[in-house]
Each structure stands twice: as structure tokens, then as C-alpha cells.
Amino acid sequence: MMNKLFFNISLILLLALNSCRITKYIEEDKAFYTGATIEYHTDTVGVDGDLKYALLEVAETTAPNSKSGAWYYYRGEKAKHPKGMKKWMAKTFGSKPVYYDENVMQKTADLIQNNLNNNGYFDAKVYHKKKSDKATKSASVKYEVYVKKTPYRLDSISWELESDIPLNQKVLAIKDQSELVGGERYSLDNFREERIRINNALKDSGFYFFSSNYLMFDLDSANGDNTIDVKAYFKEMPQKTKRLYTIDSVLLQPDFDLDGLNASKRKQKIIEIDSGIIYKGDPVNLKPKILEQTLQTRTGDIYSRHKHQASLRQFSGLGVFKYVNMEFTPKPTDDPNYGKLDVNAKMSQVTLHAISTELAMSTWSTGYSGPELDITWKNRNTFGGAERLSITGFTGIQKQFGGKGNGIDAIAWYGIDAKLSIPRVIAPIEVHPGSDFYIPYTNFGVGFKRYHFLPKYTLNYFNTSYGFEWRTNENIKHTLNPVAISFQATGSTDSTTIGQAFPSLEETFRDQFILGSNYTFEYAPTWDKKKSWGSFYYKGDIAISGNLWYAAMQAFGGEKNPTTGQYEIFGSPFSQYVRFTNDFRFFFRTSKKGSLANRLVIGYSKPWGNSTALPFVQQYFVGGPNSIRAFKTRTLGPGSYDPSQNTNPGEDSQDIGFGEQAGDLKLEGSVEYRYDLHQYLKLAAFVDYGNVWLSNKNDDLPGGEFKLENMFNEMAIGAGIGLRVDVQFFVLRFDFAVPVKVPYVPEDGDQWVIKNTKFNDIVFNLAIGYPF
């Protein structure tokens, strides 16, 4: 089956490559546009690297479509049947061909020159040359940039403002923070940023009607030494623009009729929450207190756009409104410098109850794949304070296809999870995490899962948690669960438990409590397209368990179980460990269609005190569709341990132990080159590497203990290619990989198994979503 699928995908790729023969469709007077390059003639004058990248972006504004896309388009144009296969292929995979256009290239050359002028290279000249290929009826363009003089730089910056009114006083007070700095290269963007800076500062200081359009700059470059003197001033503006405004009254309308149909069936009341703050709505449906807590501005405050936007963001963040707006109306006044504003906050509510269903293919931690069904019921306003309650019921069944057996035919499970999120911090001490723009949430969770390792083993998993979630800005998210308690209990249809069947997993699968806490930090900035280097992502997670209980047991003279040597709670031991995981991701843009994605995962855990091994759900593993793709999940490690040794006495030698290839330490990475073949079709080439190790020596897993001097020799390496169907909301991924190096020494004594690779060694991964 895998061979047939591989053949079909290879055939598709071959057809895509052969589709380049489109010359017969191109008219004689036209040429297929194939792209642009830039050549710099600068003598001793250099052009900044970031500016070069920006100019290349301009040059590539007219993007050539792929020849395969044009081929599908041409085939669709020639199709006789409007609803036939050719038309469908053209619509799905085709793109309108782009021809070389002399006028467009000249306009692009002008844009490149304007960009150079806007960055201080006032003497720059840009020309373009057509490069034709008659054999393929195609043409490209080369833009030649000539720069002879060094770029202009700013010299003096002066502010022509009188300090007799509050507006000018504010500007003069912050002029030292200017984006315009003497000695820096002239940049039109810096002048735009300066106008934005002044505008924001004034809007946050009460000047509600101010606009950046009133700020002007006069430039004088007559010094003769490639320098510019700058004079900043305000043009004539209306009197209301100069006024500093304070907040007078605030009206909160949580039941605002957005459609104007007056269809609200709620009983509205008018309640004075605070002096100057009025609530108009149904206090039973949505309590006035939650809106008062969310509102960032108060009567008597100086108007601040920051607080204005923070209030809107937090009202939206409550999750109960589909429309939020704040109107500010000035009150009549004759004062030339000061005024007051009335605020009307209008909010329209969403449907508070919802049911969603999700059916998907998933991969469990042991590499078994199969369908999973989740049904979730949500209430966005459970107790009238925008509390979110979600209850999810789930079930699934999975089987590992291919490979050797392990005595477990399939894994089936079912369970229920409930989570209550409250939009404030509920804690013994008063804390205010996060920022003005984001609401902190207190989360309470409880759940139950039952796993069936068919035909005879079971695992029951109970969990409960209490914690907080908050953001410090758009890019940074924190999750802290000071209480995360769970209990796992195993069983079987006979007297043999899963731990007894697989001795190295005895403590991992034994009945035990996990009494812990965890914290997660996530940094996920958006990819700035103006920067050539791309973006960076980081997620760090630390979890601890059992340490306080262990200390308490020792302090109060608790007795250990004489058989296991462990402290117990209600007849079951508790796990004790510390676990720290780091996930680094780097993304680099190599071209308009290509990028280089890199991932590095470093994990460390240490079972100690009351444990010699981590619970099964907390262990590290490698291999699988989102890890080292040339190896199946949990078939590597720990260390140099050879999984072919992993057999059970008295049983068939093909029965490999269940999930024994796990560890306490993890080092894993991937380097993946991604290229856009088409709007919906992506190609990738990748190299994966890594392994797991044990913190403590285990005689059942020789070679599994971590030793720094052996780390690189014990690294597994795999490589492959992938094809992705990406339709934005859904990504279907096909990855083909082969082992390059194994961490153990095989029978032939050579870890570099790539030398003897056969077609049957190809590992196929079908997955949803990108690997990272």
C-alpha cells in the first residue's frame, strides 16, 4: 500500500515538472516572465543589507507564477467542457500567466529609485534590462542600481514651538525621545515614525482630537556636505485640537441593540456603579461589576487612547460580545485649553451557548494512529460574570500499522474534561499579572480518561488543576498551575499488570499520584516581512511533582512502604521529579517562495526521592511524524540501547516491549527547507536528529544512561522529503524519510545505515499540520 502511494505521489511530481513545456501556448509577441534580479554599481559606497532586502521585495512585486500553474491555466482555457476535469484542475492548481511588460518594469525601476531616495540615496539612478530566452519564450529583468555618493544624514533637529499652551508643553517635554537623531542616515520612515510617536503621546495625554497631519517638517540640505537640517512645527489647527480633555461621565450598555430592531428580551435597568459610571442593561444576565472591573478609564481621568484601546480589547476579551465600541462626545466649553468628554460604551452580546464536534486522525504518544471524536459544550457566561465553562467528551481508537508486534493490538480510550475560566485572578494574595490590554484568567480543570491497551491492559487517569493564564503583550503568554494533581491506576483482565508484563515499565505504569505544579512561558512574535532573517519562537515549560509532600513526610516522620521503599498516600506512592523543556524555533526567509525552518528541543527531567522513573505521561520520546520522521514513535533510545534486544522471556522474539524507548533527557532537532510549488502545494526537504537518555542507570536498558562524552555518537539522524497540501485552514502532510544513522551499533558494526538503504527502509508519515 505504501509503495503504491509513493508511486502515485512521485507521478504527480513528475507531471508537475513536465508541465513546464508551455511554449506552444505563448503568443509570438509575448514572453513568459520568469523573475527579477538586482545588480549594484556602488564603487566604494555601500547599501545597507536591510535596504537591499526591501528593494528586492519591490523588484519581486510582479511575481512570476510557476510554469506548472500556467500550464494548468492554459489547459483549462482550451478545455471544451466548462465543468470538466481540465477546468477543475485549472481552477484548483492553475494561475494566470504573467508576461513580461516593459511599462511594468519601468514603473518598478522608478519604485526602486524612490525607495533609495526615501533612504537618503538622493543621487541614485536605476535602470532595467530585459534578458530574453527565445528557446523557452521567456524573459527576466535585471535592475541596475548606480550609487556614487554616500547617503544624506541628519544634522540639526529643532522644534519651532511656543511653550504657552499645554499641547506644545507636552511635545517639548518628550522631544529628547525623538526618532530623528543627528548623524543618522535620512529615512522617510523615521519621519513617519516620529509623527506616529508624537500623535500617540498627545492622544495618551488628553488631546483627543489631535491628528499627526498637523505635524510638519522643513528640510534644508544646502549645507553642501550631504547633511540635512530639520525644523519641526505645527501648522494651523482648530481650537478643539489644542484642548486637553478629561472624562466626565461613562455609560455602559452591555445589551446594545446592534441591529436596531429593539429585539432584546432582557429586562434592562439603569444602575449607578460608581460616581459618573452608569450601567444600562440586565444585571442578572451580565453583572455590572465585571464591566466596571474591565473598564480602564474613570470619571476625572485625562483621556488616554491607550486606556481607550485597552478597554475595547478587554471588553472583547471577555468573550461575550460580538460588537464593542466607545463613543466620546465633547461637552460645550469656552475654555481654549481644557475640555470634558462623555463616554458611551456600546456592546452587543454573542450567543452564549455552543456545541462543537471535531473528528480527526490523531497519533498517540506510542505511535498508534486512528480516529478521534471530540464533542464540546460551551457556556460563555456561566454565572453572569463572563465565566467560560467547557465540557468535552471524547473517544477514539488507534492501531500501529506496520512494524513488529508488542502484545498490544490497539489502544482505545474515552473520557471527559471540564474547564472553568474566570476573567480575574482568584488567589490567596492580591496580584495583577498581565497588561492593560489582556485579561488574566483563573482556570479550574477536572478530567477523567480511561485507556484500553487491547486486549487486556487498562489505565485510568484522573486529573485536576488550578492555575492562571495571562499575557504581558501580544507575543508573550504565561500559564501557571500551582496545583496540578492527577492519579493513574492500571489494571488487566488477568492477574498480570502492564508493569509486570514489561519490567522496565513497572514504576512508570504503577498506581501513583502526581502532586505537582507547572509553568509555561511562550514567546510567539509575528513574522515581520520587512526583516530578511525571519522570526523566532520559544516555549519553555517547567514541572515539579512530589517535592513538598516528600519534605512533609520526612518532617513529620512518615513511614515508607517496606517493600517498595516509597512514601504512600492512601496506599499508593506519589511520583517525585523535576522536568524542564525548551522548544526553540527559527525561521529564515531564503527567497519569496522559500524558507528555512529550524527546531531545537532540549528536555531534562530528574526522578528522585520517592521515584526512580517518571510516570508514563511525563516521559520524553523521539520518533514519529512530528519528531525524527525516519523512525517510528518510541523506537529510539534510550542512549545506545538496541531495541532489538527488547524482548520478553518466554514470548515470541517479535514481541517488542511496549513504549520502553523513552527517557528522562531529550535532545532533538530538525532543519527543514520549505518551498512553495503552488498556492496550495508545498515541497519540503528535511534532516531530523536526536535521542533520549536516562538520568539513572537501568540494568534492563543497557547503554541508556546519559554520558556527555557519548552524546553525539548516540544521536539518531534521519532525512527525507515531504509534500504538503496547504489550504490555509487545513494542512495535509506527506513525509517520506529514511534512517541515516542509528544510535546503537547494528550487527554489521556501522551506525551509518544510509549506506545500505533499501526501498523498504522508507518510512511514510501521513499527518495533519506542519511538524513545527
Side-chain angles (χ1 to χ4, degrees):
M1 181 179 178
M2 188 195 79
N3 293 347
K4 183 177 180 181
L5 182 59
F6 180 77
F7 172 80
N8 290 337
I9 293 177
S10 301
L11 182 61
I12 292 173
L13 290 173
L14 185 61
L15 288 174
L17 293 173
N18 288 337
S19 67
C20 297
R21 299 176 181 177
I22 60 172
T23 55
K24 63 181 181 179
Y25 296 106
I26 303 175
E27 299 176 17
E28 288 298 327
D29 59 339
K30 293 183 178 180
F32 193 81
Y33 179 61
T34 57
T37 58
I38 300 180
E39 182 177 310
Y40 290 90
H41 304 272
T42 58
D43 297 331
T44 59
V45 180
V47 177
D48 293 349
D50 283 344
L51 179 55
K52 284 185 176 181
Y53 180 78
L55 296 179
L56 184 60
E57 289 272 291
V58 175
E60 294 177 343
T61 301
T62 303
N65 55 271
S66 66
K67 290 186 178 181
S68 61
W71 183 80
Y72 285 118
Y73 175 87
Y74 286 131
R75 296 273 292 175
E77 286 290 296
K78 300 294 183 180
K80 296 180 180 180
H81 301 288
K83 295 184 179 181
M85 177 60 71
K86 290 182 180 180
K87 284 289 187 182
W88 179 85
M89 295 289 285
K91 184 178 181 180
T92 305
F93 300 107
S95 55
K96 192 173 182 179
V98 179
Y99 299 114
Y100 183 92
D101 189 318
E102 187 68 27
N103 292 330
V104 172
M105 304 310 152
Q106 180 59 55
K107 290 179 180 179
T108 303
D110 293 340
L111 285 174
I112 294 174
Q113 183 163 322
N114 287 340
N115 271 264
L116 286 162
N117 292 340
N118 293 339
N119 284 276
Y121 297 90
F122 296 135
D123 71 316
K125 299 295 180 182
V126 181
Y127 306 95
H128 71 281
K129 290 183 178 180
K130 179 180 179 181
K131 298 174 66 177
S132 299
D133 187 336
K134 294 182 179 180
T136 59
K137 293 186 180 180
S138 64
S140 62
V141 62
K142 180 172 71 173
Y143 297 100
E144 296 188 327
V145 177
Y146 290 86
V147 177
K148 295 184 178 180
K149 295 182 180 180
T150 57
Y152 277 74
R153 298 186 178 276
L154 303 185
D155 190 7
S156 64
I157 296 98
S158 61
W159 291 84
E160 304 296 326
L161 301 173
E162 297 179 0
S163 59
D164 57 344
I165 62 173
L167 185 143
N168 290 350
Q169 292 170 358
K170 175 62 181 178
V171 174
L172 292 173
I174 61 172
K175 69 176 184 177
D176 291 340
Q177 304 168 21
S178 176
E179 296 287 336
L180 308 176
V181 179
E184 293 289 331
R185 174 172 58 82
Y186 169 85
S187 170
L188 182 60
D189 285 342
N190 286 347
F191 283 87
R192 291 170 178 162
E193 290 297 323
E194 179 66 1
R195 298 181 84 183
I196 293 173
R197 184 186 75 90
I198 295 297
N199 180 72
N200 291 345
L202 291 175
K203 287 286 181 65
D204 285 339
S205 302
F207 299 96
Y208 177 77
F209 290 101
F210 180 80
S211 169
S212 60
N213 293 329
Y214 294 116
L215 178 58
M216 308 297 292
F217 299 101
D218 281 348
L219 308 181
D220 185 358
S221 59
N223 297 331
D225 56 355
N226 281 26
T227 61
I228 300 174
D229 293 326
V230 180
K231 181 178 73 172
Y233 64 96
F234 290 123
K235 67 179 181 181
E236 188 63 32
M237 63 183 78
Q239 191 61 45
K240 68 176 183 178
T241 306
K242 302 176 184 179
R243 289 194 182 105
L244 186 154
Y245 287 90
T246 56
I247 304 300
D248 191 25
S249 66
V250 180
L251 176 62
L252 301 173
Q253 299 188 72
D255 294 329
F256 178 70
D257 183 12
L258 179 62
D259 300 323
L261 301 177
N262 198 24
S264 176
K265 297 181 180 179
R266 302 189 182 102
K267 297 180 180 180
Q268 294 191 351
K269 292 184 179 180
I270 297 178
I271 302 172
E272 184 173 354
I273 304 175
D274 197 355
S275 178
I277 301 179
I278 306 298
Y279 173 96
K280 182 181 179 182
D282 182 355
V284 176
N285 172 63
L286 192 62
K287 297 175 183 177
K289 184 178 180 180
I290 185 63
L291 297 183
E292 189 268 341
Q293 291 175 339
T294 305
L295 182 68
Q296 297 293 299
T297 189
R298 295 290 185 272
T299 299
D301 286 354
I302 292 176
Y303 169 80
S304 167
R305 190 175 69 167
H306 175 85
K307 292 183 178 180
H308 174 188
Q309 293 176 338
S311 296
L312 292 175
R313 182 72 68 89
Q314 289 213 13
F315 282 136
S316 297
L318 290 174
V320 295
F321 301 118
K322 61 182 176 182
Y323 169 81
V324 178
N325 188 34
M326 295 177 70
E327 297 177 352
F328 294 83
T329 304
K331 305 191 79 167
T333 181
D334 294 327
D335 192 320
N337 295 326
Y338 299 96
K340 292 185 177 182
L341 297 170
D342 288 332
V343 184
N344 187 358
K346 300 177 179 180
M347 292 156 274
S348 180
Q349 296 184 28
V350 299
T351 301
L352 298 179
H353 301 84
I355 295 179
S356 60
T357 302
E358 182 177 350
L359 178 64
M361 291 291 293
S362 59
T363 299
W364 200 60
S365 60
T366 50
Y368 288 69
S369 297
E372 178 178 355
L373 175 65
D374 296 351
I375 300 177
T376 301
W377 173 80
K378 294 181 180 179
N379 185 342
R380 296 184 176 92
N381 188 32
T382 308
F383 305 115
E387 301 90 352
R388 304 175 187 173
L389 175 64
S390 64
I391 300 176
T392 301
F394 53 87
T395 185
I397 185 168
Q398 298 177 343
K399 181 177 177 62
Q400 187 169 32
F401 298 95
K404 298 179 180 180
N406 54 29
I408 295 176
D409 299 329
I411 302 171
W413 73 93
Y414 56 85
I416 187 169
D417 280 327
K419 181 181 178 182
L420 177 65
S421 297
I422 301 174
R424 61 183 182 277
V425 175
I426 301 176
I429 58 175
E430 186 175 354
V431 291
H432 301 281
S435 69
D436 295 340
F437 281 81
Y438 300 94
I439 298 175
Y441 276 85
T442 301
N443 298 321
F444 297 91
V446 63
F448 165 74
K449 302 175 185 177
R450 182 177 177 86
Y451 296 100
H452 291 271
F453 303 99
L454 302 175
K456 61 182 180 178
Y457 305 113
T458 61
L459 184 148
N460 297 314
Y461 188 75
F462 305 85
N463 65 281
T464 183
S465 63
Y466 156 71
F468 315 99
E469 183 179 303
W470 72 95
R471 288 183 175 273
T472 49
N473 56 47
E474 184 179 358
N475 302 325
I476 297 177
K477 179 181 178 181
H478 307 263
T479 304
L480 172 64
N481 291 310
V483 178
I485 300 175
S486 58
F487 176 73
Q488 72 174 32
T490 60
S492 66
T493 57
D494 56 27
S495 59
T496 303
T497 65
I498 195 170
Q500 292 169 333
F502 305 107
S504 65
L505 298 178
E506 182 176 0
E507 184 166 347
T508 294
F509 268 99
R510 73 171 53 192
D511 296 357
Q512 60 184 296
F513 285 94
I514 302 174
L515 310 171
S517 305
N518 56 72
Y519 167 74
T520 300
F521 172 87
E522 186 174 7
Y523 175 71
T526 55
W527 190 329
D528 188 350
K529 294 183 179 181
K530 294 182 179 179
K531 296 185 181 297
S532 58
W533 61 268
S535 67
F536 167 71
Y537 168 91
Y538 170 74
K539 184 176 182 179
D541 178 86
I542 184 169
I544 57 175
S545 175
N547 297 303
L548 291 177
W549 281 91
Y550 190 83
M553 288 288 190
Q554 286 189 320
F556 294 102
E559 295 184 1
K560 294 183 178 181
N561 184 310
T563 303
T564 63
Q566 294 176 305
Y567 290 117
E568 294 183 343
I569 302 175
F570 304 119
S572 296
F574 58 87
S575 60
Q576 185 177 2
Y577 61 86
V578 61
R579 186 177 189 269
F580 186 35
T581 309
N582 297 277
D583 185 347
F584 303 90
R585 302 178 189 181
F586 304 86
F587 301 90
F588 301 91
R589 191 186 305 279
T590 58
S591 66
K592 192 163 186 178
K593 291 186 176 183
S595 63
L596 191 65
N598 303 267
R599 175 185 58 180
L600 178 64
V601 179
I602 302 173
Y604 171 82
S605 63
K606 179 69 175 178
W608 64 297
N610 215 48
S611 299
T612 58
L614 267 69
F616 181 72
V617 294
Q618 296 294 330
Q619 288 184 312
Y620 293 115
F621 63 91
V622 290
N626 295 318
S627 181
I628 306 178
R629 284 160 279 188
F631 301 86
K632 290 184 181 294
T633 309
R634 287 187 180 261
T635 58
L636 285 171
S640 60
Y641 178 70
D642 184 352
S644 65
Q645 304 175 31
N646 201 10
T647 59
N648 297 307
E651 297 189 13
D652 191 310
S653 62
Q654 297 297 304
D655 285 344
I656 295 178
F658 171 69
E660 293 183 80
Q661 278 60 63
D664 306 317
L665 292 85
K666 176 179 180 177
L667 177 63
E668 178 187 45
S670 295
V671 179
E672 181 170 289
Y673 177 72
R674 299 170 179 173
Y675 186 80
D676 297 345
L677 290 174
H678 182 268
Q679 182 180 359
Y680 304 122
L681 196 62
K682 322 292 182 182
L683 184 67
F686 54 86
V687 175
D688 305 321
Y689 58 91
N691 203 348
V692 293
W693 293 267
L694 300 176
S695 295
N696 302 317
K697 185 177 181 180
N698 187 334
D699 293 334
D700 292 328
L701 301 170
E705 186 179 4
F706 177 79
K707 295 181 179 179
L708 183 61
E709 62 270 21
N710 297 334
M711 183 177 68
F712 290 104
N713 288 334
E714 295 174 348
M715 201 75 70
I717 302 176
I721 59 173
L723 190 67
R724 290 84 192 273
V725 180
D726 185 348
V727 292
Q728 304 303 318
F729 63 89
F730 180 82
V731 177
L732 186 62
R733 174 161 53 93
F734 306 87
D735 283 336
F736 300 87
V738 293
V740 175
K741 177 180 174 292
V742 294
Y744 51 88
V745 180
E747 293 181 0
D748 63 3
D750 192 350
Q751 291 180 305
W752 295 91
V753 295
I754 189 66
K755 299 176 183 177
N756 303 312
T757 297
K758 306 178 187 65
F759 185 79
N760 290 337
D761 294 326
I762 297 175
V763 176
F764 170 62
N765 293 279
L766 173 62
I768 296 174
Y770 287 96
F772 59 94

